[in-house]
Each structure stands twice: as C-alpha cells, then as structure tokens.
C-alpha cells in the first residue's frame, strides 16, 4: 500500500508508518498539481513518446526499409498492411497470393447452364 503524506512528518512517525505502507511525502500542506504528480510519479504509468517522433516514420515503412522492399512491390506491401490486422488477415492475403500464382480465382463459376 502507498500513502501520500502532506506536510512534514517526524522521523519516528515516518519509520512507524513505513512498517505498513510506502510513504510518498509531499512537503507542502497545500501542494500544487506538480508537487503531487512528482510524489506519485512512481505509481503512474510511463508516458511514452509518440512513435512517429521516436522512429520518424510509419512502422510498415520501417519494416520495408529493413527488408529492403521497394514501394512498387504491391504484393509485399499488401502482406505488410495485412499484418496490422492480425494473423487471420495475413493468412487470407497469403491465400489470395498463392491462388493468384497458381492461376486460381476466388470467383465461383456457375456451371448450371
């Protein structure tokens, strides 16, 4: 358990409280928001920077750059874009790619005529 303590506290009182809780001291009796945020920062999730600022581009473009895939390779781009939608989308994209290479079509022929 964590305890945010406002104002000063005697060392003996703090030691006693620390037997039961983690003490997050705030020196001021009437702190501003910044003082409270600083005290409870260890309890909050990290604020991660925007991916565009860190990497400088879209993740798909990063993968294409690492794999040395040119932007005019539509089949590879379709597969990478499908990856963003998950394994099922990748399987469907690969299925269509393989069927296309084999000369098969997804269209159902009507042979009842």
């Amino acid at each position: 358990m964590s305890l945010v303590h406002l104002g000063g506290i005697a060392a003996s009182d703090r030691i006693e409280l620390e037997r039961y809780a983690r003490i997050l001291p705030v020196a001021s009796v009437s702190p501003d928001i910044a003082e409270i945020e600083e005290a409870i920062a260890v309890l909050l999730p990290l604020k991660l920077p925007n991916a565009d600022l860190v990497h400088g581009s879209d993740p798909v473009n990063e993968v294409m750059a690492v794999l040395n895939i040119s932007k005019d390779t539509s089949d590879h781009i379709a597969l990478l874009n499908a990856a963003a939608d998950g394994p099922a989308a990748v399987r469907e994209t690969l299925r269509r790619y393989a069927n296309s290479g084999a000369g098969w079509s997804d269209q159902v022929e009507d042979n009842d005529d």
Side-chain angles (χ1 to χ4, degrees):
M1 175 171 46
S2 298
L3 171 70
V4 177
H5 185 274
L6 303 178
I9 185 171
S12 61
D13 292 337
R14 181 172 176 152
I15 291 170
E16 183 64 24
L17 284 172
E18 286 177 339
R19 292 179 57 201
Y20 306 103
R22 176 173 49 173
I23 306 299
L24 303 171
V26 176
S28 174
V29 176
S30 56
D32 62 15
I33 297 294
E35 289 175 294
I36 294 171
E37 285 178 348
E38 184 178 330
I40 63 170
V42 297
L43 303 175
L44 302 176
L46 295 174
K47 292 180 184 175
L48 299 176
N50 184 324
D52 289 341
L53 297 175
V54 173
H55 298 292
S57 66
D58 176 59
V60 171
N61 289 335
E62 291 289 322
V63 171
M64 288 174 57
V66 169
L67 296 177
N68 199 22
I69 297 173
S70 68
K71 292 199 181 281
D72 59 350
T73 310
S74 62
D75 294 324
H76 291 110
I77 293 171
L79 187 58
L80 288 171
N81 286 332
D85 294 329
V90 172
R91 275 192 298 275
E92 178 61 19
T93 302
L94 285 172
R95 185 190 66 77
R96 288 183 182 170
Y97 179 75
N99 285 351
S100 174
W104 297 343
S105 171
D106 282 343
Q107 296 178 353
V108 176
E109 294 183 12
D110 186 12
N111 293 329
D112 292 338
D113 294 334

